[in-house]
Amino acid sequence: MLKNLPSAMKAAFPHTIPVLTGFAFLGAAYGILMSARGYGVLWILLTSSVVFAGALQFIGISLLTSVFDPLHAFLIAISVNARHLFYGISMLEKYGGTGKVKPYLIFGMCDETFSILCTAEPPPEVDKRAFMLSVTLLNQSYWILGGVAGGLIGPLLRFDTYGIDFVMTAFFVVIFLNQWRAQKNHSPALIGLGAATVSLLIFGADNFIIPAMILIIACLTIFRKKLEKGAED
């Protein structure tokens, strides 16, 4: 498979160009914020390589600069990344038989990689495992390079960084809009929006993520047959 990696990288790169442009700015924003809090390029490189969880890394900046509370950090990590449980379930079939690269594919799963792997298919001459590995490697490398670049230019900037972390929210909105345009059946997206809105109103902004995920998976399970029929039609 590694022998086929160069051709797989070539095939995967066009699919990851939107992620490259997004992660260049998102990673730079993260690097600038880390730099503003006194953390250098090595810290940025380490967290982006070992953690690689965009939203959680932004939240982690405040965790690094506050009183250490491991239970609080654990609960926040679970809440923010709960959606990855459902990503993993939906990728069980795709990741089956990927062999030694499977642990990295699981580790490197992010919203953007999930979106690409769900919709993109490699050319017939390209090994599927090498293609999935290439998408994952490229997307993480974009995030790392963006963060390092932000860490290098951060000390040269002289402006208030308050609110710069909103770029992560904006990027999620763009991903949602792209998926909306790419899919003709919008029922799953509407279920997600509805479940998130109801959970937000009931549980509040600090506690709605996990209930929303549970409600979404329940609705998708209940209406699975109707949704599959609608997709086929």
Side-chain angles (χ1 to χ4, degrees):
M1 184 185 64
L2 292 178
K3 294 180 180 179
N4 299 324
L5 196 59
S7 59
M9 285 278 187
K10 185 177 180 180
F13 177 70
H15 296 283
T16 65
I17 290 176
V19 182
L20 168 60
T21 56
F23 274 11
F25 290 99
L26 283 172
Y30 173 69
I32 291 170
L33 285 173
M34 284 285 282
S35 176
R37 301 301 189 278
Y39 292 93
V41 172
L42 289 179
W43 270 99
I44 298 167
L45 180 63
L46 178 64
T47 54
S48 296
S49 300
V50 178
V51 181
F52 187 44
L56 183 61
Q57 284 183 237
F58 277 97
I59 296 172
I61 297 173
S62 62
L63 296 177
L64 287 171
T65 54
S66 60
V67 177
F68 180 61
D69 186 345
L71 179 60
H72 177 63
F74 174 77
L75 292 175
I76 287 180
I78 291 294
S79 299
V80 172
N81 290 317
R83 65 191 186 280
H84 288 269
L85 293 172
F86 305 101
Y87 289 173
I89 293 172
S90 64
M91 296 297 284
L92 285 174
E93 185 176 347
K94 260 189 185 299
Y95 281 0
T98 50
K100 294 181 179 180
V101 301
K102 187 175 183 178
Y104 176 71
L105 292 177
I106 296 171
F107 164 76
M109 174 66 68
C110 63
D111 303 274
E112 298 75 19
T113 299
F114 174 77
S115 178
I116 293 173
L117 295 182
C118 280
T119 56
E121 289 293 335
E125 67 276 7
V126 174
D127 181 75
K128 190 174 182 178
R129 291 180 301 165
F131 180 80
M132 291 191 291
L133 177 61
S134 298
V135 170
T136 308
L137 279 170
L138 286 170
N139 286 345
Q140 185 177 12
S141 67
Y142 301 152
W143 178 258
I144 293 173
L145 291 174
V148 170
L152 292 174
I153 66 175
L156 306 177
L157 302 178
R158 296 291 182 268
F159 63 86
D160 188 0
T161 59
Y162 179 79
I164 196 173
D165 51 344
F166 184 76
V167 295
M168 200 70 194
T169 303
F171 194 52
F172 282 135
V173 173
V174 172
I175 292 173
F176 174 81
L177 292 176
N178 285 336
Q179 287 296 307
W180 181 278
R181 293 174 60 185
Q183 301 295 328
K184 293 181 179 180
N185 183 13
H186 300 312
S187 297
L190 293 174
I191 288 174
L193 286 174
T197 302
V198 170
S199 300
L200 178 63
L201 294 174
I202 295 175
F203 298 98
D206 295 331
N207 304 300
F208 82 99
I209 295 178
I210 293 180
M213 290 294 179
I214 295 173
L215 184 57
I216 289 170
I217 199 68
C219 291
L220 292 177
T221 302
I222 294 171
F223 299 108
R224 177 181 175 182
K225 292 184 178 179
K226 290 184 177 180
L227 293 172
E228 289 178 345
K229 184 179 180 181
E232 290 175 358
D233 294 338

